[in-house]
Amino acid sequence: TATVIQKVAKAYANYEFHAIYHLLLRYATVDLSNTYLNLLKDRLYCSGRDDDARRASQSAIYSVLQSLVRMMAPVLAFTADEVWSHMPRHEGDPENIHMAHFVHVDPVWSSKVESWADAELEARWEVLLNVRTEVQRHVDLRRPKKRGERLPGQIGSTEEAAVTVIAEGETMQLLQEFAARLPEYFIVSSVDLVVGTPVEVGPDVQRAAPVEIQIEPSEQDKCPRCWRHSDDVGSVSGAPELCGRCGNVIALGAGADS
């Protein structure tokens, strides 16, 4: 987000409106919709209302929205104004988006943007997202080629996939650091990490990351609430069909309804 803000601000200063259009389009469709919001759906929809990770995600999304609507306001005036009218706002925020400061000159938001700029963190996430791309490629290879023609060993939704990642060196160290979150990031049921040298691939195959990916259908039971296949389905009393997380959320009566 910080990088996009800096590029958009520079494009406005140079009257490069075509660049602004492409930057905002890519940011909304690729960075947000296809990546960030996609991997957050599980915790937003299925975690408890007051779950720390869910609340943190809501705060991050709100910061992203504040930035996005301010960036688009000069060129998408009516759309930005309508979005702003539906947003919860801070004390002192104007009633109309066009009375607000642009992101990089607002004293509150400019300090946030500076704190977001972290080249090392961005590089680490680039590796994770490249591995995610490689996982998605292999999942797609295990899908039926035609609807209704599913063969043994093939999978339907990504949540059915049990993933094994073989890697070494810094890539494996990074994956091990995020091991508990990898099923959520990859939108699969489980991820096993194996230290080893990935097998060589042919010249016609372009790997997104230096990893070997193995996909198998999960042998665990499916939770009908979150769609994940888990070994703790039925572990919560009174919720025999749900996984442990979903069972506890329902038992507490704190589903993600806000």
Side-chain angles (χ1 to χ4, degrees):
T1 298
T3 301
V4 173
I5 290 172
Q6 293 165 355
K7 290 181 178 179
V8 168
K10 182 179 179 181
Y12 273 122
N14 294 327
Y15 300 98
E16 296 174 342
F17 298 109
H18 66 288
I20 297 166
Y21 166 79
H22 287 293
L23 284 166
L24 293 180
L25 179 63
R26 177 178 174 80
Y27 181 58
T29 58
V30 179
D31 296 335
L32 293 180
S33 180
N34 186 51
T35 305
Y36 185 61
L37 298 178
N38 194 29
L39 65 84
L40 286 187
K41 285 191 294 186
D42 178 75
R43 72 173 66 167
L44 290 174
Y45 293 162
C46 300
S47 295
R49 181 172 55 229
D50 295 321
D51 177 77
D52 289 343
R54 181 173 180 273
R55 285 303 191 194
S57 298
Q58 287 180 307
S59 296
I61 290 172
Y62 178 72
S63 295
V64 167
L65 179 59
Q66 275 273 1
S67 301
L68 180 60
V69 72
R70 291 168 188 250
M71 285 190 289
M72 70 164 62
V75 292
L76 292 171
F78 294 106
T79 301
D81 189 30
E82 184 175 0
V83 172
W84 187 261
S85 69
H86 290 284
M87 288 172 54
R89 296 191 292 275
H90 295 291
E91 183 178 354
D93 280 346
E95 288 298 316
N96 190 291
I97 178 61
H98 303 293
M99 300 296 291
H101 289 294
F102 195 72
V103 189
H104 74 300
V105 296
D106 184 293
V108 174
W109 288 97
S110 61
S111 62
K112 289 188 177 184
V113 171
E114 291 176 2
S115 69
W116 292 341
D118 188 329
E120 182 181 349
L121 180 62
E122 185 175 344
R124 286 156 59 84
W125 266 100
E126 183 177 0
V127 174
L128 285 173
L129 292 176
N130 286 340
V131 175
R132 179 176 181 264
T133 297
E134 194 66 13
V135 170
Q136 291 175 325
R137 183 174 73 85
H138 281 78
V139 167
D140 287 340
L141 292 175
R142 297 298 294 269
R143 293 182 187 273
K145 294 183 178 180
K146 294 184 178 180
R147 184 183 296 273
E149 296 185 2
R150 183 169 173 174
L151 301 174
Q154 292 184 324
I155 62 174
S157 67
T158 60
E159 290 88 353
E160 296 179 26
V163 178
T164 299
V165 181
I166 302 173
E168 56 188 351
E170 293 182 356
T171 300
M172 177 53 72
Q173 292 177 8
L174 181 61
L175 292 173
Q176 290 172 334
E177 184 178 340
F178 288 89
R181 289 292 187 184
L182 291 180
E184 180 182 16
Y185 295 162
F186 299 161
I187 316 180
V188 297
S189 283
S190 64
V191 178
D192 289 328
L193 301 176
V194 177
V195 178
T197 303
V199 297
E200 296 290 334
V201 294
D204 57 329
V205 177
Q206 296 295 320
R207 277 178 169 162
V211 296
E212 178 185 345
I213 305 297
Q214 298 174 359
I215 305 290
E216 294 295 337
S218 175
E219 297 180 355
Q220 308 297 338
D221 292 329
K222 176 182 178 180
C223 172
R225 184 171 182 269
C226 67
W227 287 21
R228 282 191 184 177
H229 292 244
S230 174
D231 59 2
D232 66 351
V233 170
S235 62
V236 177
S237 177
E241 296 181 351
L242 301 182
C243 66
R245 178 192 59 170
C246 290
N248 286 323
V249 169
I250 297 301
L252 293 172
D257 55 5
S258 65

